[in-house]
Structures are given as C-alpha cells and as structure tokens.
Amino acid sequence: MERFGEIPLALLDVLGRSVLMRTLDRIRAAGIAEISVISDTAPLPPHRVAAGCEFSVTSLEDFWEEASQQFRRLGRNSECILVLRLGAWAELDYAAMVNEYRRSESSVLRAYSWRDEALDMFVVSSDSQSEAAALLRGELREEGIAAVRYKTSGYVNLLSEPASLRTLTLDAFAGESELRPCGHELRPGVWVGGDVRIHGKARIVAPAFIGSCSIVRSGAVITRGSSLEHHSEVDCATVVDNSSVMPYTRVGAGLDVEYSVVGFQQVHHTQRNVTVEI
C-alpha cells in the first residue's frame, strides 16, 4: 500500500523534494555523517545523494540480508545505529532520540508518534548484534524485542496510501508541517521551481506548487492546494483541483482533475479510494 505506480511513496516528490531526501537532510542536521540507504526500487531521475551517503538498489529476496550486512559494517566504528524504514514522514529530532537512547541504557529504543503509533524507527546498540539480527529478520516488525519507547511531539504522516501524499501536501501549505516547497514564491502562496513555463492565460490559485521544468498551458487552472511535480505538464483548458501530478506526467487538454494523485498512467481518487489505469 505504500506505493503508487509501483514506486515507494517515500521516493516520490512532495513539493519538489522526496520524503527520502528530506529525511536525509534531518539526519545530517543531527550530526550523523555516515548513512546507508537500501531500496528495492531505483529512484526517479534526477537523483542526487550528497557525499557520505551510500545508496544501493537490491532485490526483495536479498533486501533484509543486505540490511544486516550494512548494520554490521556501520557498527564497527559506531556506538549505536539509527535504523529507519521509510515509510512515514516523521519530524523527529534524531539527535534528541539518540540522547534518549543513551540515557535509557537500553539496547533498543523505538520511536512513537504523539498519537501513540509505533514507527519503524529505532536506535540500536552496535554491540547488540542478536537483537539487530532479529529486528531486521522481522522486517522491523518483530514484537518480541524489548524496546524503550521514545515519543515524539512532532508532525507524523504514515504515508500508508497515495492519498497520504495529498494530506502531506495540504498540511505543508497550511503550515502544520515543517516541510516547505522547494522553489521561489512567485506571489503569496504560489511556489515555482526552476525553468517553469506558465502561459499568460493560465491561472494559478494559491496555495499551489509548480515544480521545476513543468509546463502549464493556456487556459489551464491549478487551484486549491494542487502540486505539479518536476517535468510535468498540464495542457490547455484543464483544471487541476486539490490534486497532485507526479513527475514526468502529462495531463491532456480539457480535463477536470479533482481530489486525485495522477501519474505513471494511473489516477488515484482520494475520496473514493479507487485507482484506475489510463
């Protein structure tokens, strides 16, 4: 369920930057320099990972064994390892989470949302190879491992279905999340990325986001918290209302797109919870 068009939601852009890249920003801000990312799906281009982050794509059959090997490698010179499955967008203070782990004197600490939802986010002692192996074998869902709870008061979106992308976008526009659009504010509430082409007879109604290298043609209307991610196109006289258009997606002329996530030859209607292929 955490996919749209066979792509993990965490790899899809939300207002110009993916949940993965935004999470890496927060981890680096906590002073964690060496990071390993394992994915079963290659990210969409352009994909840039900064220095100090190793990105690898592996099969589902080898996924958790690869995770175990990376844990052992990182643990050789570390006191503890931060282990995350994306998954959720969580505005955690990772430095505070590690400090709480140290105070707890436990081998495993797990994050919980302010709604008491268990998150697949752990701090694990480098010396606790057996607990780490059991945790990873159980795909971070093993209930038999004793873990100290760390409750965050920050914003959390579990990204459990495509409609969650819309919720995250609207919450960001409303200022309920720390997530911000990537681009410059063309006018109040309207953000655009680089190399955007908007026809003079198109209408962009705030709040709205137009991602880099996107095209909005004559007579098109983008309104009510809609976002066009990078390299997307909305053709003449089409209305995009309360919807997200994914990267590399063209929406044809004379259409009404409402309450939807659109891309990869699919339309997901968020109110009806139905996905159709186009």
Side-chain angles (χ1 to χ4, degrees):
M1 290 298 293
E2 296 177 345
R3 293 175 182 260
F4 180 66
E6 301 304 318
I7 298 176
L9 299 180
L11 292 181
L12 295 176
D13 277 16
V14 178
L15 301 178
R17 194 164 172 81
S18 70
V19 164
L20 168 63
M21 299 305 291
R22 293 178 186 274
T23 301
L24 291 177
D25 292 342
R26 295 185 72 89
I27 292 172
R28 291 190 187 98
I32 299 171
E34 190 174 5
I35 306 169
S36 177
V37 178
I38 308 168
S39 176
D40 65 3
T41 308
L44 295 171
H47 175 64
R48 304 180 185 92
V49 176
C53 180
E54 177 183 313
F55 191 102
S56 59
V57 178
T58 188
S59 67
L60 283 172
E61 292 78 13
D62 299 330
F63 190 91
W64 293 102
E65 176 56 33
E66 174 67 18
S68 297
Q69 291 178 15
Q70 292 288 357
F71 185 95
R72 291 191 291 270
R73 180 183 67 82
L74 292 168
R76 291 181 193 129
N77 301 307
S78 305
E79 168 201 355
C80 59
I81 308 292
L82 179 67
V83 182
L84 314 179
R85 189 187 69 83
L86 298 179
W89 166 246
E91 293 172 2
L92 272 137
D93 183 335
Y94 292 109
M97 186 176 174
V98 171
N99 288 335
E100 181 63 25
Y101 154 80
R102 288 173 176 148
R103 285 193 292 270
S104 72
E105 298 183 352
S106 173
S107 58
V108 181
L109 178 141
R110 184 174 192 174
Y112 285 75
S113 76
W114 59 272
R115 294 185 292 265
D116 218 32
E117 300 156 322
L119 305 177
D120 293 340
M121 300 180 174
F122 301 81
V123 180
V124 184
S125 168
S126 300
D127 296 330
S128 302
Q129 294 291 331
S130 58
E131 284 94 337
L135 196 62
L136 294 168
R137 276 198 309 270
E139 301 182 4
L140 303 186
R141 294 183 174 89
E142 175 57 57
E143 298 296 335
I145 296 174
V148 171
R149 295 163 63 102
Y150 174 78
K151 199 164 185 176
T152 178
S153 59
Y155 177 90
V156 173
N157 183 320
L158 296 180
L159 288 180
S160 57
E161 57 185 354
S164 304
L165 291 171
R166 288 300 308 143
T167 302
L168 183 55
T169 299
L170 294 172
D171 288 348
F173 279 140
E176 295 176 12
S177 162
E178 295 176 12
L179 188 150
R180 293 293 175 263
C182 297
H184 71 277
E185 201 167 4
L186 187 64
R187 61 176 188 271
V190 175
W191 287 267
V192 298
D195 299 319
V196 166
R197 294 162 57 194
I198 301 174
H199 195 280
K201 292 185 179 179
R203 290 179 56 213
I204 313 296
V205 181
F209 173 79
I210 314 297
S212 61
C213 303
S214 294
I215 301 172
V216 183
R217 298 200 181 275
S218 176
V221 179
I222 313 299
T223 185
R224 288 210 294 181
S226 291
S227 67
L228 311 184
E229 300 301 338
H230 66 84
H231 295 88
S232 61
E233 177 182 347
V234 176
D235 212 337
C236 301
T238 284
V239 177
V240 178
D241 178 6
N242 202 336
S243 297
S244 293
V245 179
M246 293 291 99
Y248 303 106
T249 300
R250 177 179 177 272
V251 182
L255 301 176
D256 289 334
V257 178
E258 297 179 318
Y259 303 100
S260 297
V261 180
V262 182
F264 318 115
Q265 299 181 309
Q266 295 185 352
V267 176
H268 176 84
H269 195 279
T270 60
Q271 293 187 327
R272 296 190 174 112
N273 194 28
V274 170
T275 302
V276 295
E277 287 193 11
I278 303 298

